[in-house]
Amino acid sequence: MYRELLIFAFVNIYKNIVQAKKENKKLLAVLIDPEKIEINTIPAFFEKVHQSITTHIFVGGSTDIHNQTEKVVSAIKQVTHLPVLLFPGDVSQITNKADGILFLSLLSGRNPEYLIEQQIKAVPVLKNTDLEIISTGYLLIDGAKETATQKVSNTKPISQNNQELILHTALAGELLGQKLMYLEAGSGAKIPVETAIITTVKNNVSIPLIVGGGIRSKHQLENAFSAGADLVVIGTAFENDARFFEQLKK
Ligand code: 1GP
């Protein structure tokens, strides 16, 4: 029975995000980069995660040179019942051990490899999984630092001054049928996505809005939520100091 309930919960990751948005319940994803976490630290790390307001776990990075993703996801699944979503830098990071995948298209860039090629390459892999696939528009926005996403994808971020382009790109993604929109300043960004941008997109796009990159304080997290983010993603701040979870207690 318990297992059935869990399965029910996990096959509805997207529905649960939409429901949370309707109820104005804010969501927090902890991003785990398989290249940066030691497997043996995962149980202790998750003790902290579980005491915090974290609702989702994202796993991924721009690269995963040593193919650690599957091992890391398996270790995470052993210690948590939170939904685990892949946030893959490329097709090699797809594993059936997770619950779902953000099926990303890098809409801000003009590199066909990350707009559609990787997605085509992913099809034969995804056909052999039962991952919940969530189509996600991914917009890289200038966070005042050249980020790994920018380097690996060989694309330029959109300037934070170009709010119209950001909004129109997000709207194009929604019109194309994408189910989530992710405003990304890049991992370790110096400047997170401005609250005015979050609000503009929030007011014009009806799909749930994810915001991440450079958020490293409770104040910044609350600002992103009040500006309109439905789900905020934090990675680096937790990697640098897991005591940050203590400021985000349930
Ligand atoms: C990066 O949005 C995420 O893809 C999280 O960024 O590592 O800066 O928290 P940080």
Side-chain angles (χ1 to χ4, degrees):
M1 177 65 179
Y2 181 54
R3 188 174 150 70
E4 279 162 21
L5 281 176
L6 283 178
I7 289 168
F8 177 77
F10 287 158
V11 293
N12 285 289
I13 299 169
Y14 182 66
K15 274 192 191 160
N16 290 344
I17 294 174
V18 171
Q19 188 59 31
K21 174 182 157 76
K22 270 190 204 149
E23 293 171 11
N24 202 29
K25 282 187 192 153
K26 299 298 183 180
L27 306 172
L28 173 65
V30 172
L31 173 63
I32 295 179
D33 184 337
E35 282 190 342
K36 293 186 184 153
I37 195 156
E38 300 283 340
I39 302 249
N40 60 4
T41 65
I42 287 175
F45 185 82
F46 271 80
E47 275 178 30
K48 292 201 161 64
V49 169
H50 292 146
Q51 287 163 18
S52 75
I53 56 171
T54 302
T55 55
H56 292 76
I57 305 300
F58 286 4
V59 181
S62 298
T63 55
D64 179 15
I65 293 165
H66 301 292
N67 293 317
Q68 289 297 303
T69 303
E70 186 158 293
K71 276 186 215 153
V72 167
V73 171
S74 298
I76 292 171
K77 289 292 296 174
Q78 280 180 23
V79 295
T80 192
H81 294 312
L82 293 172
V84 178
L85 281 162
L86 299 174
F87 173 52
D90 62 48
V91 64
S92 73
Q93 293 178 33
I94 299 175
T95 163
N96 198 22
K97 307 279 188 220
D99 302 304
I101 177 169
L102 297 182
F103 197 52
L104 303 163
S105 180
L106 183 58
L107 300 179
S108 55
R110 295 297 175 266
N111 183 349
E113 187 64 31
Y114 293 93
L115 275 165
I116 187 63
E117 287 291 345
Q118 284 290 319
Q119 294 78 355
I120 294 170
K121 288 172 191 161
V123 168
V125 184
L126 289 171
K127 276 174 78 176
N128 290 317
T129 74
D130 48 13
L131 293 167
E132 182 177 335
I133 301 167
I134 308 174
S135 171
T136 304
Y138 190 49
L139 272 67
L140 188 58
I141 293 166
D142 193 0
K145 183 186 161 188
E146 195 190 24
T147 57
T149 311
Q150 194 179 333
K151 280 186 221 157
V152 171
S153 68
N154 195 21
T155 65
K156 287 199 177 76
I158 305 179
S159 161
Q160 302 227 18
N161 295 327
N162 203 341
Q163 284 199 25
E164 188 178 73
L165 179 59
I166 294 170
L167 175 60
H168 289 179
T169 309
L171 280 167
E174 179 169 45
L175 291 171
L176 281 165
Q178 284 164 339
K179 292 160 93 181
L180 294 174
M181 193 52 55
Y182 193 142
L183 303 180
E184 167 74 277
S187 193
K190 276 193 189 151
I191 304 170
V193 178
E194 277 174 24
T195 52
I197 294 173
I198 299 173
T199 303
T200 301
V201 175
K202 169 76 174 182
N203 289 342
N204 291 281
V205 170
S206 57
I207 54 177
L209 185 59
I210 304 178
V211 175
I215 294 175
R216 47 176 71 82
S217 71
K218 191 176 178 186
H219 181 65
Q220 286 173 320
L221 173 67
E222 283 166 352
N223 281 348
F225 281 147
S226 2
D230 298 300
L231 186 155
V232 167
V233 186
I234 301 181
T236 306
F238 294 130
E239 273 163 25
N240 289 348
D241 189 351
R243 282 176 301 179
F244 183 33
F245 286 115
E246 288 161 23
Q247 294 174 41
L248 306 176
K249 285 237 161 91
K250 277 181 196 163

